[in-house]
Amino acid sequence: MKILVLSLLRLGDIIQQAPLFKGLREKYPHAEIHLLLNKQFSSVEKILDGVVDKYIYFDRDALQKGLGEANYNILWSYTEVERLIQTLNKENYNAAYNFTHNKLSAYLLGALQIPQKNGLYQEEGRFKGLTNPWLRYFNDRFSGTQKSLFHYVELLGNAFALPTKATTAPHVKSKSKLVLLQCLTSDSKKNWGLEKFAELKRTIEISLVDYEVCVLGASFERETLAAVFSERDLLICDLPEARKHLQNAALLVTGDTSIKHLAAQVGTPIVEIAIGSSDSTKTAAYSAKALILNSDVACAPCSHSQACPQASHLCAEDVSVEKVFGAVWDQLSGEKIAQKNHIRVLERAVWSLYLHNESEPSYREALQNIFEQLSQKEISSCLSAWNEHGTLLLNWFNRAKAALPSREELAGKKNFQSSDIADLILCAQDILKTKRDEAGYFQNFVESLLTRFSHPVQIYDRVSAALTEAEALLNIRSSFTQYLQTSSTEGAYYAKGIGQLPISGFEETGKSVQRNLENAEL
């Protein structure tokens, strides 16, 4: 079997996809796996060793120049793409996986003659491949600042049925007790600040005298780093060298960079400072050993495509050196800060049940997964808030359902005005204002009222489809809640001693009520 994977994203994204490549190798151990990636990221070959058999390069920079610069023939880029497609088709791939999910990768995959296409592709002028609920969720939540309950790797792993798991393997602590700092990112909005990193370095060296602190950097970053750090503090290196340093390190402190994904790959403990456009739920280091520090300012996370709109870098200012050092201390001492959001764990379970799209959701299995993450006490403590929020969600649904005019009513409108759906708009506004639909039960409902339409009937179709999704989710949430409440009640009884009764029976009379083995009488 021969498989092609398309990953036309940035370096950090490709490194982040390592668990997906490993999952693909585990699922098809004897397959020949080829990877199509952008030419400027050829250094990744030394990082994905053992999971990719052949690398094929797409020269995106040259093709873009060919389309925009006068000294190129107008058909040059088209000819180059056509040549690439012919080369790929000669490989006779059995299957392809699109890990990129943008228009470019969709057009390329659509042009290839591959019988089994997984993920987004273009065919006959239309985008296809989003039949899987996990892929639809991925497509809806990763295009902008929409909230997601799941990590990038989790979503594609579930969508493509690939076994993936966050790094949990034990990391051998370095005898040198080396702490590495990765200070710079590809986007200034995500930079915590060199002066703050310098202060953190001094704090670690004063408080933890037996630890050595060094600063990682690429060759093009040397001059910027040298303005704050001494030359002896710098470890200027390429990716393979950085990997060796990370394998020898006790901890990495970093922003949102490709280096954090490399550290996750080798099992190095991480303190990640997620600021600017960095969304830790979507693309944090995929590792159980990562401790994520987020900013609480209202504008974070912001959009990737825009500059910081604030007068000062508020999200960076919100994360103090003391807070980062506290996380460093916890990681080095093994006393990791508890980061569990109990309600969020339950919401993830509900959405997982929905996205698996099974006729009979496996509530018991979902509950077992919950018990692996939360204790009985933690579940009981959050049930009241969980039920209260469920009531709010149900009220929103009933209100929106009642406010939706019938299809026939909208079809008969000759002069449609926004006042005809005023109650629907008010309901959507209230949902947005409360900021309490963090799990996104009504995201599609709100967006259905924001999209343009050519006929009023389209409003009904879009809103009705969004409410059907919300109803299905709320039904699963209700059934799951019953399982939660039952387990909580049983746990409470057990805690009071009922679950600890002796096997021999009730001992109310001073002796156990046991079966007589000779005559079977009690």
Side-chain angles (χ1 to χ4, degrees):
M1 185 177 188
K2 191 179 283 189
I3 299 172
L4 175 67
V5 177
L6 288 80
S7 183
L8 301 176
L9 294 172
R10 295 164 298 185
L11 180 61
D13 298 299
I14 301 171
I15 298 173
Q16 180 182 220
Q17 292 164 356
L20 295 170
F21 287 108
K22 292 176 182 176
L24 194 61
R25 173 61 70 200
E26 184 178 333
K27 188 173 182 178
Y28 302 104
H30 304 297
E32 187 177 335
I33 299 175
H34 294 187
L35 172 59
L36 177 67
L37 70 161
N38 289 317
K39 186 176 181 180
Q40 65 265 41
F41 302 134
S42 59
S43 58
V44 82
E45 281 195 31
K46 298 175 182 178
I47 304 302
L48 296 176
D49 50 330
V51 290
V52 175
D53 298 300
K54 182 178 179 179
Y55 295 86
I56 304 166
Y57 294 106
F58 182 80
D59 197 346
R60 183 170 181 168
D61 287 346
L63 290 171
Q64 286 178 327
K65 288 180 180 178
L67 291 171
E69 295 186 6
N71 57 328
Y72 281 85
N73 183 295
I74 192 170
L75 296 177
W76 181 83
S77 294
Y78 172 81
T79 304
E80 287 299 303
V81 172
E82 188 177 42
R83 185 180 291 118
L84 172 65
I85 290 170
Q86 290 173 350
T87 301
L88 292 172
N89 281 333
K90 288 178 183 178
E91 295 282 353
N92 295 316
Y93 293 109
N94 303 100
Y97 288 82
N98 187 356
F99 285 0
T100 308
H101 272 250
N102 59 19
K103 289 182 180 179
L104 173 61
S105 63
Y107 284 124
L108 279 174
L109 183 53
L112 296 174
Q113 297 169 1
I114 301 176
Q116 182 187 337
K117 296 178 181 179
N118 300 280
L120 187 68
Y121 65 96
Q122 190 269 352
E123 185 176 275
E124 298 177 353
R126 304 184 69 177
F127 289 107
K128 297 184 177 181
L130 295 178
T131 54
N132 184 294
W134 288 97
L135 277 179
R136 288 200 298 272
Y137 185 98
F138 176 84
N139 195 60
D140 291 343
R141 302 299 174 97
F142 271 74
S143 58
T145 57
Q146 295 91 336
K147 298 292 184 182
S148 173
L149 289 169
F150 303 95
H151 192 276
Y152 174 93
V153 174
E154 286 181 291
L155 284 172
L156 290 189
N158 280 302
F160 298 140
L162 301 178
T164 58
K165 195 171 184 181
T167 303
T168 56
H171 174 73
V172 179
K173 288 189 176 181
S174 167
K175 293 181 179 179
S176 65
K177 293 191 174 182
L178 174 65
V179 174
L180 296 176
L181 309 180
Q182 175 64 40
C183 305
L184 299 174
T185 72
S186 60
D187 185 348
S188 59
K189 297 196 303 293
K190 298 189 286 187
N191 287 342
W192 187 45
L194 292 180
E195 294 296 340
K196 283 193 169 186
F197 269 109
E199 186 179 344
L200 175 66
K201 182 178 184 296
R202 289 192 294 270
T203 304
I204 295 173
E205 290 170 338
I206 293 171
S207 305
L208 305 168
V209 293
D210 53 341
Y211 278 88
E212 177 188 9
V213 184
C214 293
V215 179
L216 282 176
S219 56
F220 66 88
E221 296 172 330
R222 180 190 290 273
E223 186 177 346
T224 303
L225 293 171
V228 176
F229 300 98
S230 67
E231 186 66 29
R232 67 176 179 275
D233 294 328
L234 302 181
L235 290 176
I236 303 300
C237 55
D238 59 15
L239 273 180
E241 291 170 335
R243 188 181 190 182
K244 291 179 182 177
H245 290 311
L246 289 166
Q247 288 172 327
N248 185 49
L251 180 68
L252 169 71
V253 184
T254 179
D256 183 8
T257 66
S258 57
I259 295 298
K260 73 176 185 184
H261 298 305
L262 197 58
Q265 219 185 97
V266 300
T268 308
I270 301 164
V271 170
E272 178 180 343
I273 305 169
I275 56 176
S277 57
S278 177
D279 190 325
S280 59
T281 301
K282 295 179 181 179
T283 56
Y286 195 58
S287 170
K289 299 178 180 181
L291 201 162
I292 316 298
L293 300 179
N294 292 288
S295 170
D296 293 327
V297 297
C299 57
C302 57
S303 173
H304 282 281
S305 58
Q306 68 180 36
C308 178
Q310 306 298 337
S312 62
H313 200 185
L314 296 180
C315 54
E317 295 165 7
D318 187 53
V319 181
S320 66
V321 173
E322 291 77 13
K323 185 176 181 179
V324 178
F325 177 70
V328 169
W329 180 282
D330 290 327
Q331 285 285 58
L332 293 176
S333 66
E335 299 173 2
K336 186 176 176 180
I337 299 172
Q339 291 185 295
K340 289 183 293 188
N341 181 323
H342 302 159
I343 296 293
R344 188 180 186 83
V345 172
L346 301 184
E347 295 288 18
R348 279 169 51 90
V350 171
W351 275 89
S352 293
L353 288 165
Y354 172 73
L355 293 172
H356 278 307
N357 200 27
E358 297 173 349
S359 56
E360 294 184 8
S362 180
Y363 293 105
R364 292 188 181 278
E365 184 179 339
L367 200 58
Q368 288 174 353
N369 291 334
I370 291 296
F371 285 143
E372 292 177 4
Q373 302 175 68
L374 301 177
S375 67
Q376 189 69 60
K377 184 178 180 181
E378 288 172 327
I379 294 174
S380 299
S381 67
C382 70
L383 268 180
S384 177
W386 170 259
N387 288 328
E388 178 190 344
H389 191 58
T391 301
L392 177 64
L393 294 171
L394 187 59
N395 288 340
W396 280 339
F397 172 78
N398 290 332
R399 181 181 166 190
K401 191 84 172 176
L404 177 63
S406 68
R407 200 173 195 275
E408 292 74 20
E409 186 179 350
L410 288 172
K413 293 283 184 184
K414 293 183 179 179
N415 297 312
F416 177 80
Q417 297 179 348
S418 59
S419 59
D420 295 325
I421 54 169
D423 290 341
L424 272 179
I425 294 172
L426 287 173
C427 181
Q429 287 177 340
D430 286 347
I431 292 171
L432 289 173
K433 285 178 182 177
T434 62
K435 297 182 179 180
R436 293 194 63 188
D437 186 29
E438 295 172 336
Y441 287 86
F442 292 91
Q443 178 175 306
N444 286 340
F445 164 68
V446 172
E447 290 180 354
S448 69
L449 293 170
L450 297 174
T451 53
R452 300 178 69 177
F453 59 91
S454 57
H455 194 279
V457 167
Q458 290 180 331
I459 294 178
Y460 177 88
D461 293 339
R462 292 169 182 171
V463 172
S464 181
L467 291 179
T468 298
E469 176 190 65
E471 185 175 24
L473 279 161
L474 291 175
N475 286 337
I476 289 175
R477 196 181 196 277
S478 176
S479 298
F480 182 62
T481 300
Q482 292 178 18
Y483 276 85
L484 283 173
Q485 289 173 331
T486 300
S487 69
S488 179
T489 303
E490 289 175 350
Y493 284 149
Y494 189 90
K496 291 177 181 178
I498 296 176
Q500 302 174 15
L501 290 171
I503 277 178
S504 55
F506 295 91
E507 300 183 350
E508 296 172 345
T509 60
K511 61 178 181 179
S512 62
V513 182
Q514 299 186 31
R515 183 165 61 89
N516 187 313
L517 298 179
E518 294 183 1
N519 59 16
E521 292 180 356
L522 286 175

